[in-house]
Amino acid sequence: MRHLSSHPDAYGVFASQCAAGSQGSAKGCATVAIKDCLDIEGLVTRCGSRALADAAPAKAHSDVVANLIAAGCRILGKTKMHELAYGMTGINAFEGTPLNPHFPDRIPGGSSSGSAAAVAASLVDFAIGTDTGGSIRQPAICCGVIGFKPTFGRVSRKGALPVQSSLDCIGPFARTVGMIEQAMGAIDRTFQAEIFEGPLRLARLGMDGEIEPRMAEAMLAVRTDGDGAIKDIELPLLDAAFKAGMTIIARETLLANIALLERPELLGEDVRKRLEGARNATDADMAEAENVRVRFTADIDALLERFDVLMTPALPLPPPRLSEASDPAKVLTLTRYLRPFNLSGHPALVLPARTVDGLPSGIQLVAAKGADARLIAIARRLVEDNPIFQTKE
């Protein structure tokens, strides 16, 4: 592997650049960007933080990087991210914030900001991110690309930071469903693409007053072909699952990074405050969060015995402008529909769309655990049948 000095790119997505894997130009040699919380041999895994800037370079590739290279992919570099993967805006005062290519006045989303922006800017064929509470799916929608969170545990996290997580999944961003399939085949050797045939049974989350109406346009516009059916359903534990996910990520992120609080001046202000606030999560809070995890997971498992997929909006409100990113009211609820499925561990994919006034929006699709290939096949069919989605094969 050749290590190259980091240099500015048009959208500011790369934290460092390298040349790893296939160096040929043969057809099928996909170019890839890697979120900087995944080890690439010889490079420092900084996780977007000044506190880790002087860490020792990785001694080996993470499993996902090794698999990509074995599959013939060419890795171009490591992408910027929200510091320590603990934020939703993608804003990073230390490394700089990637520009959202299609919506430059809006946040790129987080925490996998650079990976989403790299794909949106067509700098790579696909990119790899991590998703602990929506950190692939939310920036995917912010930047207008597809993002996929696999079933929890499906893709190896060896060589990822944080080392331990009960929520985090590694997954791809791409501009087309076909490239999502190709990416999954590269990072998970057990993955086999499928074709979905027959009528589609689709559960659609009923709306409440917590979503801006225009952010539900894409979901309400979806139609199934032939004998397919869409039925509105309720998820009584959705908001409890969101809160439980927030509790668990707070405790787990604090445990992973508690040593960094010994030098708080090296941390960004937003992340430092969140880590300090995470100390307030009690053992009783954790016990209640785990109780909600069990109950919510059971509800989703039961629902997906009756339906092929669950469909929700992707976001409850438009991604905030960069000037609004410090406003909690504009940020805290962005992952309302996404975070609960980190808690439950189900695979989830987002398809981008635009509101009637041109803002980033879309839908989320959730399938049974282990049905990753089927979920992607259903997404392909919905893209083919519904012109509202921006992706084209």
Side-chain angles (χ1 to χ4, degrees):
M1 178 178 68
R2 293 183 292 121
H3 298 173
L4 306 178
S5 298
S6 180
H7 64 273
D9 59 81
Y11 298 93
V13 303
F14 288 109
S16 60
Q17 298 194 345
C18 66
S22 175
Q23 298 306 304
S25 58
K27 183 178 180 180
C29 173
T31 55
V32 187
I34 305 293
K35 186 178 181 179
D36 193 18
C37 59
L38 300 167
D39 286 347
I40 295 179
E41 181 182 357
L43 298 181
V44 175
T45 303
R46 300 196 306 187
C47 289
S49 181
R50 188 187 307 274
L52 297 176
D54 295 326
K59 295 181 179 179
H61 293 315
S62 57
D63 278 358
V64 69
V65 167
N67 286 345
L68 287 164
I69 292 172
C73 297
R74 179 157 51 100
I75 296 172
L76 301 187
K78 303 187 83 173
T79 54
K80 296 177 184 177
M81 54 184 284
H82 202 114
E83 185 177 4
L84 301 180
Y86 201 28
M88 294 171 281
T89 64
I91 291 175
N92 189 310
F94 168 55
E95 290 190 325
T97 302
L99 183 68
N100 185 329
H102 300 310
F103 308 96
D105 65 331
R106 304 270 165 176
I107 63 168
S111 61
S112 306
S113 51
S115 290
V119 170
S122 298
L123 300 179
V124 290
D125 294 315
F126 66 88
I128 302 300
T130 63
D131 192 316
T132 318
S135 287
I136 290 172
R137 291 160 291 156
Q138 184 248 29
I141 292 298
C142 290
C143 293
V145 299
I146 302 171
F148 179 54
K149 180 194 81 69
T151 300
F152 178 78
R154 174 156 197 156
V155 178
S156 171
R157 294 189 65 260
K158 184 178 179 182
L161 292 178
V163 174
Q164 300 292 332
S165 174
S166 69
L167 303 169
D168 191 47
C169 302
I170 296 171
F173 297 85
R175 293 178 295 278
T176 67
V177 175
M179 189 57 68
I180 290 286
E181 284 182 329
Q182 183 174 334
M184 282 301 298
I187 66 176
D188 173 14
R189 297 175 185 176
T190 71
F191 180 86
Q192 296 289 329
E194 296 182 9
I195 297 175
F196 182 82
E197 298 177 338
L200 175 61
R201 301 167 301 160
L202 199 157
R204 181 173 63 191
L205 180 64
M207 291 296 88
D208 58 22
E210 301 300 318
I211 183 173
E212 287 195 19
R214 58 184 168 173
M215 300 304 288
E217 289 170 356
M219 185 183 74
L220 296 176
V222 169
R223 298 292 181 265
T224 62
D225 61 352
D227 297 325
I230 300 175
K231 182 177 180 179
D232 288 335
I233 58 92
E234 302 298 328
L235 294 177
L237 290 176
L238 182 73
D239 289 334
F242 174 88
K243 181 180 178 182
M246 291 288 285
T247 297
I248 293 171
I249 194 175
R251 172 65 68 87
E252 292 184 348
T253 305
L254 176 62
L255 291 176
N257 297 288
I258 194 165
L260 302 183
L261 286 173
E262 295 176 4
R263 297 193 64 188
E265 72 278 6
L266 296 181
L267 296 171
E269 183 180 7
D270 66 321
V271 169
R272 175 181 56 77
K273 287 181 176 179
R274 289 194 73 191
L275 287 173
E276 291 172 345
R279 297 181 190 273
N280 296 323
T282 66
D283 290 346
D285 293 334
M286 285 293 291
E288 173 57 23
E290 292 295 350
N291 177 271
V292 172
R293 191 204 296 259
V294 170
R295 292 159 53 208
F296 181 71
T297 301
D299 284 355
I300 302 303
D301 286 342
L303 179 73
L304 292 170
E305 289 179 359
R306 298 187 290 122
F307 295 94
D308 297 305
V309 289
L310 163 66
M311 177 172 63
T312 79
L315 305 180
L317 70 167
R321 293 182 175 87
L322 290 166
S323 60
E324 302 169 325
S326 61
D327 181 356
K330 300 285 188 179
V331 174
L332 290 180
T333 64
L334 279 174
T335 54
R336 183 190 187 214
Y337 302 113
L338 309 177
R339 190 178 301 275
F341 300 100
N342 293 94
L343 189 75
S344 69
H346 293 85
L349 180 148
V350 291
L351 293 174
R354 295 197 184 195
T355 63
V356 68
D357 53 343
L359 294 178
S361 181
I363 64 168
Q364 174 179 233
L365 302 171
V366 181
K369 291 180 182 179
D372 302 57
R374 193 166 191 250
L375 174 57
I376 296 170
I378 290 171
R380 181 197 299 277
R381 184 153 147 189
L382 289 177
V383 168
E384 292 171 349
D385 293 343
N386 293 273
I388 192 171
F389 301 115
Q390 302 166 11
T391 58
K392 298 183 186 300
E393 296 292 352

